[in-house]
Amino acid sequence: MSRNLLRLLAMACIFHGAVAIGQQDLVPGHARELAVHSLATPSIAHLTVTTPSFADGVEIPKENTQYGGNIFPGLEWTAGPQGTQSYAVIVQGQRTNDPHAISSIHLVVFDIPAAVTQLDKGMTAVPDSAVFGPNVHGPHQAYVGPHAHPDATNGYHFQVLALDTTLPPSDTVQYDTLIAAMRGHVLAVGDVVGISSHDPNTPGAVTALPGPVKVSTGLLQGIPGRNPSISVFKGVPYAAPPVGHLRFREPQPPAAWAGIYKADHFSKLCPQIGDPSAMSEDCLYANIWTGARTGTERRPVFVWIYGGGFSMGTGADPTFDGEALAAKGVIVITFNYRIGVLGFLATPELSRESGHNASGNFGLLDDVAMLKWVQQNIAAFGGDPAHVTIGGQSAGAGSVGFMAMSPLARGLFEQGVEESHARYSHDTELRYLSVSYRTLSKAETDGDTFAVSRGAHSLKELRALPWQQLLLPRDASDQSVETGSDAKPPLFRPVVDGWVLPADYSETYARGTQNKVAIIAGNNRDETGAVPEFTFSQRRAAGNHPTPGNPHINVTLTEFQDAAKRKFGPLAEEYLKLYPATNDDEAAEQSANSARDNSRISTYLWALDWRRHDNKPLYTYFWTHRPTGDPAGAHHASEILFVFDNLGMKDQEWTDEDRKVASTVSSYWVNFIVGGNPNGSGLPQWSGFDPKAKSVMELGDHFAPMPIASDARIVFWKKFFATQPAW
């Protein structure tokens, strides 16, 4: 590849910042010229391009536009001339009566292998080695169908270019830079043109929040969603970059900017194990999906906190893309927060510096900062700051629980959703799951040990280290915690510091000092040691290798019996009578049954503690649906796609049953966010928590109450928990 080509692509690097939209600037996702006009030369070869969905020069079917299903129509082309190394496909829309009009970009795919000469109808994922480029929805986006403005008829050019090179992918490639990089490398071009007009009779034709939105720090320009009635604001700063002297400090307010901030792409991830080029310490950004048409609306708000064991994750994960819930009337916010060492380091020096004699909860303080930003700014997006629900899964659910225990979050939200791991304070599983915590003294000791291991003997030296030197491998665990098994929690995790978290679970619930909020909480069938039957033999062959925050999975009779003796001690014999097994398969099944009973009973007992001092609505569930074809069953996090009604974000075959489950579950969540009650018209009744019922709502394969366990097993688990110290 030529040095000039690499140089041109390097010029594509862009950064978060304020950019004034001047008279000569283009709105992101638009171009001044069609690609074939810009790149073709008189001697260039011709490609014949066709689509199975419409003929050249005729109307594009509604299903291929944003007024219909937004389905890619499919594309086929003749092979390029000798020397072709790759193809690029670019779809642009332009007014039919003005060839000099600005064009909108609806699809860019580059580095399509030379052996590939078609893109399938309904395509949502590109061929191997190919890359989605930027379009009107931002960088690396799938097909966006036509959505003509009122009084406009547009021609949509489905263009194919044969290149004598490939282009190195980049997270920050801009359209103009890609065009420049292709110049001089185009061997052949061709296109097929379809016509599309504005459809005033389609509800989705109304675009939400046209124009900049004013927040406390300046003006923001978002982008249309895949559904044009939704506006998306990506990479919005909610706190100052926690770099330099702000590393290991409480988040500070973001700086104001002049002009209009283009919120059109996600920020980089907070530092974690992975590709360093995708990460930055400058990572405290939020993403907002809203269907409000004006800033005077007051829609309920759902703030989602990602999981990942407090050591990985991003608010840009497409699993919890907020567009579908926003279309149902909820404003959705995702965001990045600091994780690992950068989010949860405590040392005596940091505690003294804080002014609160506390440290180790910078990630939780980011949560608080996000919620304060919501209170101050969400009305500009049509949101109601008095009607905020926070939700999360795994470590995100743990964060919801910690926010409910933190006086710093009091009044910042009124409802919470905890997906996995709301646990009884005497449950030994709580000690290693993503709801685990450390004492301040233990965290400070571990922090000093870590600093010395990195050659730092002062806070100043720690802040001077490159962030890459502060990362720990994902298997870094806290071996000092006795869990009754080989399972151990991640080393860096939240701290009961006396300030962010004044007390542990047991003390908080006993005193009733938690924030009084409504709650949905539950667990999944195939998590926390439970696995589906069809995986038993495979797991035996692979062996057991527990990672931080995850349990040992027993799939042999010997493992099952040894684990029982270790965990239950003098109660092991009674336990093995309640969960009898005489061979490996029976042992694996009973181990899974035991783990499921444990989670349901533990959450039931947690709810009893919670309810003693909080009479707000409380709903518990047990997720049982295995996504079609999923090899891990109804596993940890498998519910998220269904909760967000986001099956389309994963490229696989879904059944009508999957879609029905997603519709039902997402409707429960939206109803709860809107009114504190998941029930609604056409939905199976979900009763609130009843201490006398000893049941939980099954969500998934069935939608009905189910017992948490048999009476004998409930008695046993209560007896066992009574032998364990409270956390």
Side-chain angles (χ1 to χ4, degrees):
M1 183 169 298
S2 70
R3 291 183 180 179
N4 286 339
L5 187 55
L6 289 171
R7 178 179 60 80
L8 285 166
L9 282 163
M11 291 169 58
C13 293
I14 56 174
F15 302 90
H16 278 280
V19 180
I21 298 179
Q23 188 174 5
Q24 301 303 315
D25 291 327
L26 288 174
V27 175
H30 293 74
R32 290 184 172 84
E33 196 172 12
L34 295 175
V36 290
H37 293 170
S38 174
L39 296 171
T41 63
S43 60
I44 207 163
H46 176 71
L47 299 176
T48 300
V49 182
T50 60
T51 169
S53 297
F54 57 88
D56 188 41
V58 305
E59 188 81 11
I60 297 174
K62 187 173 182 179
E63 71 169 2
N64 304 128
T65 74
Q66 292 186 57
Y67 299 112
N70 200 39
I71 297 170
F72 180 66
L75 211 59
E76 300 174 1
W77 58 91
T78 53
Q82 185 175 1
T84 298
Q85 296 295 311
S86 70
Y87 297 100
V89 170
I90 300 174
V91 180
Q92 289 173 271
Q94 189 178 56
R95 286 177 181 260
T96 55
N97 59 356
D98 185 359
H100 302 292
I102 297 297
S103 68
S104 54
I105 304 165
H106 295 259
L107 177 70
V108 174
V109 182
F110 60 95
D111 284 352
I112 300 171
V116 175
T117 57
Q118 70 176 50
L119 297 177
D120 293 338
K121 182 176 181 180
M123 174 195 70
T124 58
V126 293
D128 289 345
S129 80
V131 181
F132 278 127
N135 62 26
V136 291
H137 282 185
H140 298 293
Q141 296 292 323
Y143 172 73
V144 180
H147 178 243
H149 292 175
D151 303 319
T153 297
N154 289 355
Y156 289 85
H157 297 252
F158 290 73
Q159 307 159 96
V160 181
L161 303 96
L163 306 176
D164 66 4
T165 186
T166 57
L167 309 178
S170 169
D171 287 339
T172 51
V173 164
Q174 294 174 302
Y175 178 77
D176 287 346
T177 310
L178 279 171
I179 294 297
M182 286 188 274
R183 198 174 304 281
H185 295 277
V186 180
L187 301 178
V189 300
D191 70 347
V192 59
V193 182
I195 307 300
S196 186
S197 303
H198 177 69
D199 184 350
N201 299 315
T202 302
V206 180
T207 301
L209 288 180
V213 169
K214 186 175 182 180
V215 296
S216 58
T217 43
L219 294 173
L220 290 169
Q221 178 69 57
I223 57 176
R226 297 178 305 280
N227 176 343
S229 70
I230 304 300
S231 288
V232 188
F233 298 80
K234 299 178 179 181
V236 178
Y238 71 89
V243 300
H245 72 285
L246 294 182
R247 179 189 282 177
F248 304 129
R249 289 186 188 272
E250 182 179 0
Q252 299 300 304
W257 56 79
I260 298 177
Y261 189 103
K262 295 181 179 179
D264 59 1
H265 64 283
F266 293 119
S267 74
K268 291 194 172 186
L269 288 68
C270 290
Q272 54 195 277
I273 295 298
D275 177 8
S277 68
M279 302 169 194
S280 171
E281 271 194 277
D282 179 7
C283 62
L284 300 185
Y285 296 87
N287 315 296
I288 302 112
W289 287 262
T290 177
R293 298 179 186 177
T294 71
T296 60
E297 293 187 43
R298 288 297 173 262
R299 298 191 177 204
V301 180
F302 186 42
V303 180
W304 178 260
I305 309 173
Y306 55 78
F310 296 112
S311 61
M312 59 182 178
T314 170
D317 190 324
T319 305
F320 31 85
D321 177 280
E323 187 165 307
L325 294 189
K328 294 185 177 185
V330 173
I331 292 179
V332 178
I333 300 173
T334 66
F335 66 103
N336 290 345
Y337 62 92
R338 286 171 285 180
I339 50 183
V341 176
L342 291 165
F344 297 97
L345 179 74
T347 70
E349 189 176 0
L350 277 171
S351 294
R352 289 192 297 271
E353 178 188 80
S354 72
H356 304 281
N357 195 32
S359 61
N361 283 320
F362 306 110
L364 296 185
L365 287 167
D366 293 343
D367 296 346
V368 174
M370 180 74 257
L371 294 176
K372 288 181 177 179
W373 188 93
V374 169
Q375 290 297 312
Q376 188 175 10
N377 294 290
I378 201 60
F381 300 86
D384 185 353
H387 202 12
V388 176
T389 300
I390 63 175
Q393 182 269 342
S394 195
S399 297
V400 172
F402 289 132
M403 289 298 97
M405 294 165 63
S406 177
L408 302 187
R410 186 161 296 141
L412 300 181
F413 68 103
E414 65 171 359
Q415 301 180 152
V417 177
E418 300 183 38
E419 297 177 25
S420 294
H421 306 339
R423 294 280 180 150
Y424 183 43
S425 59
H426 291 263
D427 186 354
T428 54
E429 305 293 295
L430 181 150
R431 303 175 192 175
Y432 70 82
L433 294 171
S434 295
V435 286
S436 180
Y437 63 81
R438 299 168 292 166
T439 64
L440 180 60
S441 60
K442 175 68 165 57
E444 288 178 340
T445 299
D446 289 344
D448 274 345
T449 300
F450 170 80
V452 171
S453 76
R454 293 301 188 266
H457 300 278
S458 69
L459 189 49
K460 182 178 180 180
E461 292 178 359
L462 266 178
R463 287 185 171 132
L465 289 174
W467 62 259
Q468 292 87 342
Q469 294 184 24
L470 299 176
L471 300 184
L472 284 173
R474 286 187 178 150
D475 61 356
S477 59
D478 188 345
Q479 293 295 316
S480 68
V481 180
E482 176 51 53
T483 65
S485 71
D486 290 336
K488 302 295 179 184
L491 182 57
F492 288 96
R493 59 196 193 281
V495 180
V496 176
D497 61 353
W499 176 46
V500 179
L501 297 177
D504 61 26
Y505 294 106
S506 179
E507 185 177 344
T508 298
Y509 300 155
R511 293 180 178 179
T513 55
Q514 73 265 37
N515 298 322
K516 306 306 185 288
V517 294
I519 292 284
I520 283 179
N523 305 286
N524 293 7
R525 182 181 64 196
D526 297 322
E527 67 179 3
T528 324
V531 295
E533 289 184 20
F534 57 82
T535 67
F536 291 168
S537 59
Q538 179 184 0
R539 288 182 177 276
R540 285 190 201 106
N544 241 312
H545 307 284
T547 56
N550 292 295
H552 186 96
I553 297 171
N554 303 307
V555 288
T556 71
L557 181 60
T558 299
E559 286 177 338
F560 178 58
Q561 292 174 341
D562 288 348
K565 293 171 185 175
R566 178 175 176 181
K567 179 171 182 174
F568 300 108
L571 296 177
E573 185 177 350
E574 183 178 353
Y575 168 83
L576 291 171
K577 288 181 180 178
L578 287 169
Y579 299 93
T582 60
N583 57 49
D584 285 351
D585 280 347
E586 289 178 356
E589 182 178 3
Q590 292 291 29
S591 181
N593 290 337
S594 167
R596 293 165 185 147
D597 287 348
N598 185 353
S599 68
R600 290 190 296 260
I601 295 168
S602 183
T603 299
Y604 168 81
L605 295 174
W606 164 85
L608 286 177
D609 279 352
W610 180 271
R611 176 46 60 83
R612 287 192 181 97
H613 297 283
D614 187 341
N615 290 319
K616 294 291 183 70
L618 174 60
Y619 297 87
T620 62
Y621 72 86
F622 192 67
W623 170 256
T624 60
H625 183 65
R626 174 196 178 194
T628 294
D630 197 307
H635 59 82
H636 195 55
S638 62
E639 84 287 357
I640 300 176
L641 278 173
F642 295 82
V643 163
F644 279 84
D645 202 6
N646 268 348
L647 301 189
M649 302 303 288
K650 187 173 182 180
D651 186 22
Q652 72 173 65
E653 292 294 326
W654 297 103
T655 66
D656 289 342
E657 181 64 21
D658 288 319
R659 297 184 187 94
K660 180 179 178 181
V661 171
S663 176
T664 300
V665 173
S666 62
S667 295
Y668 278 140
W669 258 240
V670 167
N671 291 342
F672 178 76
I673 294 164
V674 170
N677 185 332
N679 294 291
S681 177
L683 296 174
Q685 178 66 27
W686 183 355
S687 299
F689 176 73
D690 180 356
K692 297 178 181 178
K694 296 181 182 178
S695 64
V696 62
M697 181 69 172
E698 179 183 355
L699 301 181
D701 289 347
H702 305 92
F703 290 92
M706 63 178 291
I708 58 173
S710 68
D711 288 343
R713 290 179 177 181
I714 294 172
V715 169
F716 170 81
W717 284 99
K718 284 184 176 181
K719 183 191 297 185
F720 168 66
F721 290 149
T723 68
Q724 300 300 307
W727 267 50

